[in-house]
Amino acid sequence: MLVLLPPSEGKAASGRGAPLKPESLSLPGLAGARAAVLDELVELCAADEEKARDVLGLSEGLRGEIAKNVELRTAGTRPAGEIYTGVLYDALGLATLEPDARRRARKSLLVFSGLWGAVRVGDRIPSYRCSMGVKLPGLGALGAYWREPMASAVPEAAGDGLVLDLRSSAYAAAWRPKGELAGRTATVRVLHSQMVGGVEKRSVVSHFNKATKGRLVRDLLTAGAKPAGPGELVEALRDLGYVVEAQAPGRAGKAWALDVVVNQIH
C-alpha cells in the first residue's frame, strides 16, 4: 500500500545533520525537476526578498521564511517525518509508533511537496517554505510543473499495490491516477455528521478532516493492515471502527471515493 499525504505549511526547524544530499532522496526520477525548483527558489529568495514574499504568498510575519529558503543547500537536515508538523502529523504521531509500524511508515508513506515533488518520511530534508500553489517566475505553477515527472515516478512507487490518496486538492493537482492504477486508488473525504432539527447534516471540517486522516493512517500502520485493493481497504477501516461509505468508480480510469463519517470533532 502506498499512502499519499499532503505536507504541512508549518514545519519544524532544520536539524543539525549533514546538509541536503539530493541524490539520497527517494524517487530518483524526480532529481532533475527537484534541482530546477531548488535552483529557482534559492535564487529568487536571495535576490529580492519582497518579490519572493509576494511569490510565496507570505505575510510580513513570515518574512523569516525567505532567509530559510536562501540556506536550503547548506542548512542541516532531519527526516521529512520530523520536518512536517501540524494537525495531520500530530495525529499520525510517527515518533510514537512501535518499531514495526514505523518501518511500515517509512516504506508506505509518500509526502507531496511543492519543492521536492514527493519524499518518503525517512528522507532527510531541510525546513523550507514553498507550497504546491506557488507560481515561480521561471517554472510557472508548481502543480502543473510536477505533473510530467510525477506521471512515471508515482506509478513506479505504487507498483501493483493499493494507493490510498489523502492529499488536499492543491497537491492532488500534481498527480492524478490514470488507467488501471486509478482502479486501485482510493481517495478519502472526512465528513462530520450531526443532527439539526431532526435532520442529518454533513459537512467537511478542515481541522478535523486532517486529524482524522492522521489517526486513520496511524491505525492502519499499527494494525499492520495490508489491503490489496480499495474493497479490502474499506473492510480494514470498518474493522478498525471507522464508518465508511464507498463508491466504486463508474467507469475505467476513475478512483474509488471513500467517505469516512464521524459524529465527534476532536
Side-chain angles (χ1 to χ4, degrees), residues 23-218:
E23 69 278 4
S24 72
L25 299 179
S26 302
L27 280 66
L30 300 178
R34 285 170 176 150
V37 179
L38 179 62
D39 286 347
E40 182 166 356
L41 182 62
V42 171
E43 182 178 348
L44 169 69
C45 292
D48 189 332
E49 185 175 289
E50 288 304 318
K51 181 178 180 180
R53 192 161 69 88
D54 182 60
V55 169
L56 298 177
L58 300 178
S59 66
E60 177 65 29
L62 292 174
R63 184 180 290 273
E65 299 292 284
I66 305 299
K68 180 190 295 185
N69 283 347
V70 173
E71 299 173 353
L72 282 171
R73 294 193 181 92
T74 57
T77 59
R78 60 201 303 178
E82 296 178 13
I83 289 288
Y84 295 119
T85 58
V87 176
L88 188 153
Y89 291 90
D90 283 348
L92 174 53
L94 288 169
T96 60
L97 289 171
E98 293 295 328
D100 285 348
R102 204 173 304 157
R103 282 192 289 271
R104 288 189 282 270
R106 288 195 293 267
K107 182 178 180 180
S108 63
L109 304 187
L110 192 66
V111 184
F112 273 57
S113 161
L115 174 54
W116 314 114
V119 292
R120 296 193 184 275
V121 293
D123 288 343
R124 298 190 67 90
I125 59 173
S127 187
Y128 67 96
R129 190 69 175 230
C130 185
S131 72
M132 193 65 80
V134 164
K135 185 176 182 179
L136 291 175
L139 298 177
L142 291 177
Y145 171 80
W146 281 111
R147 286 174 197 155
E148 182 176 349
M150 289 289 198
S152 55
V154 178
E156 182 179 347
D160 58 2
L162 165 72
V163 176
L164 173 55
D165 189 353
L166 302 177
R167 298 171 297 162
S168 55
S169 58
Y171 290 88
W175 179 79
R176 299 187 190 280
K178 296 181 180 179
E180 179 270 337
L181 179 54
R184 47 188 170 87
T185 297
T187 62
V188 171
R189 179 175 63 165
V190 179
L191 297 177
H192 176 222
S193 172
Q194 55 185 330
M195 300 302 293
V196 179
V199 178
E200 183 191 28
K201 300 289 186 180
R202 291 182 174 181
S203 60
V204 176
V205 182
S206 178
H207 177 97
F208 190 58
N209 171 61
K210 295 174 183 177
T212 301
K213 287 179 176 178
R215 284 193 290 271
L216 181 152
V217 174
R218 182 182 179 88

